[in-house]
Amino acid sequence: MSLLEQLNADMKTAMKNREKEKLTVIRMVKSSLQNEAIKKQADLTEEEELQVLSREVKQRNDSLHEFRKANREDLAEQIESELAIIQAYMPEQLSDEELEKIIQETIDEQQATSKKDMGKVMSAVMPKVKGKADGSKVNQFVMKHLQ
């Protein structure tokens, strides 16, 4: 089942169960996917759908950070619940151990030794973990390994 089919099915279920918040979030995600397809003028591949979902998660994480900084816990809680709904459609996230292993293998492959090689390592790691790990977390681990 494609992501759009899954979203449509979940949207119907949310309507029947009167889950207003879930319905709103699903509609936002579906709209983002459809806008991306219109922009591309073709159906999205799974990878492109994953990119859109990742962008939605990143936007909400940024908002969450800003709301917390401004002591707006009411808005932060709303964003957290939206994040939980969206992340249900994301692939399972890598554990820290799995991520560190991938990063270490990539550093060895690239023969990276210092922080000067950071860009080379990041550009090799990101396609491997696309949608399965947060970019800032990857960045942190790469920095830790390239000291």
Side-chain angles (χ1 to χ4, degrees), residues 14-126:
M15 279 185 218
K16 287 177 184 173
N17 296 338
R18 300 187 191 278
E19 297 171 297
K20 193 173 183 179
E21 183 181 15
K22 186 173 184 178
L23 183 61
T24 303
V25 174
I26 291 171
R27 282 180 174 155
M28 279 191 273
V29 170
K30 191 174 169 205
S31 173
S32 293
L33 288 166
Q34 289 171 331
N35 286 339
E36 193 68 26
I38 290 169
K39 201 182 302 180
K40 187 183 169 207
Q41 296 182 339
D43 289 339
L44 299 179
T45 63
E46 275 189 48
E47 188 175 311
E48 290 167 331
E49 289 176 342
L50 188 59
Q51 254 181 331
V52 173
L53 280 177
S54 296
R55 186 173 54 227
E56 291 291 319
V57 168
K58 185 179 182 333
Q59 286 174 348
R60 282 169 178 77
N61 279 328
D62 292 346
S63 297
L64 184 62
H65 175 72
E66 291 301 316
F67 290 147
R68 289 257 158 79
K69 208 163 88 174
N71 289 324
R72 291 296 308 267
E73 282 305 311
D74 55 326
L75 295 174
E77 287 173 17
Q78 179 185 348
I79 294 294
E80 280 178 336
S81 63
E82 286 181 16
L83 265 170
I85 294 167
I86 295 171
Q87 286 175 332
Y89 299 100
M90 297 285 291
E92 190 173 325
Q93 298 293 295
L94 293 171
S95 69
D96 287 353
E97 294 80 30
E98 293 170 318
L99 185 57
E100 290 218 37
K101 183 179 178 224
I102 291 170
I103 289 170
Q104 191 57 56
E105 287 171 359
T106 307
I107 288 172
D108 294 342
E109 286 170 13
Q110 299 291 323
Q111 299 171 348
T113 55
S114 69
K115 289 190 179 185
K116 290 179 190 173
D117 302 318
M118 178 99 178
K120 185 167 61 169
V121 173
M122 286 296 291
S123 63
V125 169
M126 288 312 288

